[in-house]
Amino acid sequence: MPPAGLGAAGRYEEYSQKEIKFIEGELKDWFLQRRFAMERNMAMKKALDENNFSGLSMANPNIPDAQKVMWSDLVQGKPELEDSLSSNAKQMKVDMYSKMFKDSTDLEHPCRVAGSSYLRCLQENFKEKSSTRLMKCLPSYESFDACRKGIMQQQAQSLENALIKQDIADRRAKALFDRRNILLDTHS
């Protein structure tokens, strides 16, 4: 409470000083939150890159092209066995798909069952022609594909929500900074 002897200008001066301190505190909190998030995200990316998490960083130049292609097939393409491959090569390729898939999903992953089912179908029918294999494995592939698309949609929605929250916080910080400048200008 301002002293009773202060006039309107004195009260405004005191109120302005308190508001400036409040705004500066809010701006510091915003800056520290952004800085902490940036450092946390950079540390996570570094750890993932160092441990060769190819699915999380397709831009990592240290990952072999074969792994990138197989990961792309598992995430957004269609893991398939070409007829031009020998039986041993087909079996090896489906084993590589299965190992990569099982290593990248835990038991609670929503697509673990559907993906394992499709890859098991490929494994059991690798000697068949691609058209025969397609007919046998199509139902399990469709459920796997639907699951992947659902997860991709969830990730896109989460990213959009995070960007909206960040934009709101940034716009609030800009408005606070502008208000702080106005208050500082009135003191000068």
PDB file of all heavy atoms in Angstrom, residues 45 48-49 52-63 68 71:
ATOM      1  N   LYS A  45      18.598 -35.805 -28.259  1.00  0.00           N
ATOM      2  CA  LYS A  45      18.960 -36.083 -29.654  1.00  0.00           C
ATOM      3  C   LYS A  45      20.377 -36.625 -29.744  1.00  0.00           C
ATOM      4  O   LYS A  45      20.649 -37.579 -30.469  1.00  0.00           O
ATOM      5  CB  LYS A  45      18.823 -34.840 -30.521  1.00  0.00           C
ATOM      6  CG  LYS A  45      19.149 -35.132 -31.984  1.00  0.00           C
ATOM      7  CD  LYS A  45      19.148 -33.896 -32.824  1.00  0.00           C
ATOM      8  CE  LYS A  45      19.443 -34.147 -34.279  1.00  0.00           C
ATOM      9  NZ  LYS A  45      20.378 -35.174 -34.612  1.00  0.00           N
ATOM     10  N   LEU A  48      20.407 -40.216 -28.551  1.00  0.00           N
ATOM     11  CA  LEU A  48      19.782 -41.100 -29.537  1.00  0.00           C
ATOM     12  C   LEU A  48      20.694 -41.300 -30.744  1.00  0.00           C
ATOM     13  O   LEU A  48      20.816 -42.413 -31.265  1.00  0.00           O
ATOM     14  CB  LEU A  48      18.426 -40.537 -29.969  1.00  0.00           C
ATOM     15  CG  LEU A  48      17.359 -40.533 -28.870  1.00  0.00           C
ATOM     16  CD1 LEU A  48      16.134 -39.762 -29.325  1.00  0.00           C
ATOM     17  CD2 LEU A  48      16.993 -41.934 -28.449  1.00  0.00           C
ATOM     18  N   ASP A  49      21.335 -40.231 -31.199  1.00  0.00           N
ATOM     19  CA  ASP A  49      22.267 -40.349 -32.328  1.00  0.00           C
ATOM     20  C   ASP A  49      23.455 -41.235 -31.970  1.00  0.00           C
ATOM     21  O   ASP A  49      23.877 -42.065 -32.776  1.00  0.00           O
ATOM     22  CB  ASP A  49      22.770 -38.971 -32.762  1.00  0.00           C
ATOM     23  CG  ASP A  49      21.725 -38.192 -33.553  1.00  0.00           C
ATOM     24  OD1 ASP A  49      20.722 -38.811 -33.980  1.00  0.00           O
ATOM     25  OD2 ASP A  49      21.914 -36.981 -33.736  1.00  0.00           O
ATOM     26  N   ASN A  52      22.626 -44.876 -32.131  1.00  0.00           N
ATOM     27  CA  ASN A  52      22.176 -45.331 -33.436  1.00  0.00           C
ATOM     28  C   ASN A  52      20.680 -45.636 -33.489  1.00  0.00           C
ATOM     29  O   ASN A  52      20.258 -46.656 -34.018  1.00  0.00           O
ATOM     30  CB  ASN A  52      22.990 -46.560 -33.879  1.00  0.00           C
ATOM     31  CG  ASN A  52      22.909 -46.754 -35.372  1.00  0.00           C
ATOM     32  OD1 ASN A  52      22.612 -45.839 -36.120  1.00  0.00           O
ATOM     33  ND2 ASN A  52      23.174 -47.965 -35.816  1.00  0.00           N
ATOM     34  N   PHE A  53      19.884 -44.760 -32.917  1.00  0.00           N
ATOM     35  CA  PHE A  53      18.451 -44.909 -33.027  1.00  0.00           C
ATOM     36  C   PHE A  53      18.024 -44.362 -34.384  1.00  0.00           C
ATOM     37  O   PHE A  53      17.632 -43.214 -34.523  1.00  0.00           O
ATOM     38  CB  PHE A  53      17.732 -44.150 -31.898  1.00  0.00           C
ATOM     39  CG  PHE A  53      17.688 -44.906 -30.621  1.00  0.00           C
ATOM     40  CD1 PHE A  53      18.803 -44.988 -29.804  1.00  0.00           C
ATOM     41  CD2 PHE A  53      16.537 -45.552 -30.228  1.00  0.00           C
ATOM     42  CE1 PHE A  53      18.765 -45.679 -28.625  1.00  0.00           C
ATOM     43  CE2 PHE A  53      16.485 -46.247 -29.040  1.00  0.00           C
ATOM     44  CZ  PHE A  53      17.607 -46.317 -28.237  1.00  0.00           C
ATOM     45  N   SER A  54      18.107 -45.200 -35.393  1.00  0.00           N
ATOM     46  CA  SER A  54      17.904 -44.741 -36.768  1.00  0.00           C
ATOM     47  C   SER A  54      16.493 -44.230 -37.004  1.00  0.00           C
ATOM     48  O   SER A  54      16.283 -43.321 -37.780  1.00  0.00           O
ATOM     49  CB  SER A  54      18.239 -45.854 -37.761  1.00  0.00           C
ATOM     50  OG  SER A  54      17.420 -46.979 -37.520  1.00  0.00           O
ATOM     51  N   GLY A  55      15.523 -44.811 -36.352  1.00  0.00           N
ATOM     52  CA  GLY A  55      14.153 -44.387 -36.586  1.00  0.00           C
ATOM     53  C   GLY A  55      13.870 -42.998 -36.086  1.00  0.00           C
ATOM     54  O   GLY A  55      12.971 -42.337 -36.566  1.00  0.00           O
ATOM     55  N   LEU A  56      14.637 -42.550 -35.119  1.00  0.00           N
ATOM     56  CA  LEU A  56      14.393 -41.241 -34.554  1.00  0.00           C
ATOM     57  C   LEU A  56      15.214 -40.154 -35.217  1.00  0.00           C
ATOM     58  O   LEU A  56      14.984 -38.990 -35.003  1.00  0.00           O
ATOM     59  CB  LEU A  56      14.685 -41.277 -33.054  1.00  0.00           C
ATOM     60  CG  LEU A  56      13.822 -42.282 -32.297  1.00  0.00           C
ATOM     61  CD1 LEU A  56      14.251 -42.366 -30.852  1.00  0.00           C
ATOM     62  CD2 LEU A  56      12.368 -41.920 -32.382  1.00  0.00           C
ATOM     63  N   SER A  57      16.183 -40.540 -36.033  1.00  0.00           N
ATOM     64  CA  SER A  57      17.005 -39.543 -36.703  1.00  0.00           C
ATOM     65  C   SER A  57      17.454 -40.071 -38.061  1.00  0.00           C
ATOM     66  O   SER A  57      18.568 -40.540 -38.221  1.00  0.00           O
ATOM     67  CB  SER A  57      18.218 -39.181 -35.845  1.00  0.00           C
ATOM     68  OG  SER A  57      18.980 -38.214 -36.516  1.00  0.00           O
ATOM     69  N   MET A  58      16.569 -40.003 -39.028  1.00  0.00           N
ATOM     70  CA  MET A  58      16.902 -40.487 -40.372  1.00  0.00           C
ATOM     71  C   MET A  58      17.956 -39.597 -41.023  1.00  0.00           C
ATOM     72  O   MET A  58      18.566 -39.969 -42.005  1.00  0.00           O
ATOM     73  CB  MET A  58      15.653 -40.545 -41.250  1.00  0.00           C
ATOM     74  CG  MET A  58      14.662 -41.614 -40.816  1.00  0.00           C
ATOM     75  SD  MET A  58      15.325 -43.281 -40.842  1.00  0.00           S
ATOM     76  CE  MET A  58      15.445 -43.572 -42.574  1.00  0.00           C
ATOM     77  N   ALA A  59      18.171 -38.428 -40.466  1.00  0.00           N
ATOM     78  CA  ALA A  59      19.174 -37.521 -41.020  1.00  0.00           C
ATOM     79  C   ALA A  59      20.578 -37.821 -40.487  1.00  0.00           C
ATOM     80  O   ALA A  59      21.524 -37.157 -40.875  1.00  0.00           O
ATOM     81  CB  ALA A  59      18.795 -36.077 -40.702  1.00  0.00           C
ATOM     82  N   ASN A  60      20.699 -38.809 -39.617  1.00  0.00           N
ATOM     83  CA  ASN A  60      22.009 -39.162 -39.052  1.00  0.00           C
ATOM     84  C   ASN A  60      22.868 -39.776 -40.148  1.00  0.00           C
ATOM     85  O   ASN A  60      22.542 -40.837 -40.675  1.00  0.00           O
ATOM     86  CB  ASN A  60      21.820 -40.144 -37.895  1.00  0.00           C
ATOM     87  CG  ASN A  60      23.094 -40.439 -37.157  1.00  0.00           C
ATOM     88  OD1 ASN A  60      24.187 -40.145 -37.637  1.00  0.00           O
ATOM     89  ND2 ASN A  60      22.959 -41.029 -35.978  1.00  0.00           N
ATOM     90  N   PRO A  61      23.982 -39.138 -40.520  1.00  0.00           N
ATOM     91  CA  PRO A  61      24.804 -39.643 -41.631  1.00  0.00           C
ATOM     92  C   PRO A  61      25.566 -40.924 -41.299  1.00  0.00           C
ATOM     93  O   PRO A  61      26.063 -41.594 -42.191  1.00  0.00           O
ATOM     94  CB  PRO A  61      25.778 -38.490 -41.908  1.00  0.00           C
ATOM     95  CG  PRO A  61      25.870 -37.757 -40.624  1.00  0.00           C
ATOM     96  CD  PRO A  61      24.521 -37.903 -39.958  1.00  0.00           C
ATOM     97  N   ASN A  62      25.644 -41.291 -40.036  1.00  0.00           N
ATOM     98  CA  ASN A  62      26.391 -42.477 -39.636  1.00  0.00           C
ATOM     99  C   ASN A  62      25.605 -43.776 -39.772  1.00  0.00           C
ATOM    100  O   ASN A  62      26.147 -44.847 -39.554  1.00  0.00           O
ATOM    101  CB  ASN A  62      26.877 -42.329 -38.191  1.00  0.00           C
ATOM    102  CG  ASN A  62      27.775 -41.124 -38.018  1.00  0.00           C
ATOM    103  OD1 ASN A  62      28.525 -40.774 -38.923  1.00  0.00           O
ATOM    104  ND2 ASN A  62      27.678 -40.469 -36.883  1.00  0.00           N
ATOM    105  N   ILE A  63      24.333 -43.677 -40.101  1.00  0.00           N
ATOM    106  CA  ILE A  63      23.493 -44.865 -40.217  1.00  0.00           C
ATOM    107  C   ILE A  63      23.614 -45.425 -41.633  1.00  0.00           C
ATOM    108  O   ILE A  63      23.484 -44.692 -42.607  1.00  0.00           O
ATOM    109  CB  ILE A  63      22.030 -44.517 -39.898  1.00  0.00           C
ATOM    110  CG1 ILE A  63      21.935 -44.052 -38.461  1.00  0.00           C
ATOM    111  CG2 ILE A  63      21.125 -45.700 -40.142  1.00  0.00           C
ATOM    112  CD1 ILE A  63      20.609 -43.517 -38.083  1.00  0.00           C
ATOM    113  N   LYS A  68      18.377 -47.457 -43.094  1.00  0.00           N
ATOM    114  CA  LYS A  68      17.426 -46.374 -43.359  1.00  0.00           C
ATOM    115  C   LYS A  68      16.271 -46.862 -44.223  1.00  0.00           C
ATOM    116  O   LYS A  68      15.111 -46.543 -43.964  1.00  0.00           O
ATOM    117  CB  LYS A  68      18.132 -45.202 -44.044  1.00  0.00           C
ATOM    118  CG  LYS A  68      19.039 -44.411 -43.144  1.00  0.00           C
ATOM    119  CD  LYS A  68      19.652 -43.246 -43.896  1.00  0.00           C
ATOM    120  CE  LYS A  68      20.609 -42.465 -43.035  1.00  0.00           C
ATOM    121  NZ  LYS A  68      21.177 -41.317 -43.720  1.00  0.00           N
ATOM    122  N   TRP A  71      14.075 -49.250 -42.194  1.00  0.00           N
ATOM    123  CA  TRP A  71      13.284 -48.505 -41.216  1.00  0.00           C
ATOM    124  C   TRP A  71      12.141 -47.768 -41.908  1.00  0.00           C
ATOM    125  O   TRP A  71      11.019 -47.761 -41.414  1.00  0.00           O
ATOM    126  CB  TRP A  71      14.164 -47.536 -40.440  1.00  0.00           C
ATOM    127  CG  TRP A  71      13.375 -46.781 -39.418  1.00  0.00           C
ATOM    128  CD1 TRP A  71      12.943 -45.501 -39.488  1.00  0.00           C
ATOM    129  CD2 TRP A  71      12.881 -47.293 -38.190  1.00  0.00           C
ATOM    130  NE1 TRP A  71      12.219 -45.172 -38.380  1.00  0.00           N
ATOM    131  CE2 TRP A  71      12.163 -46.260 -37.567  1.00  0.00           C
ATOM    132  CE3 TRP A  71      12.970 -48.535 -37.554  1.00  0.00           C
ATOM    133  CZ2 TRP A  71      11.544 -46.431 -36.329  1.00  0.00           C
ATOM    134  CZ3 TRP A  71      12.350 -48.694 -36.328  1.00  0.00           C
ATOM    135  CH2 TRP A  71      11.645 -47.641 -35.733  1.00  0.00           C
TER     136      TRP A  71
END
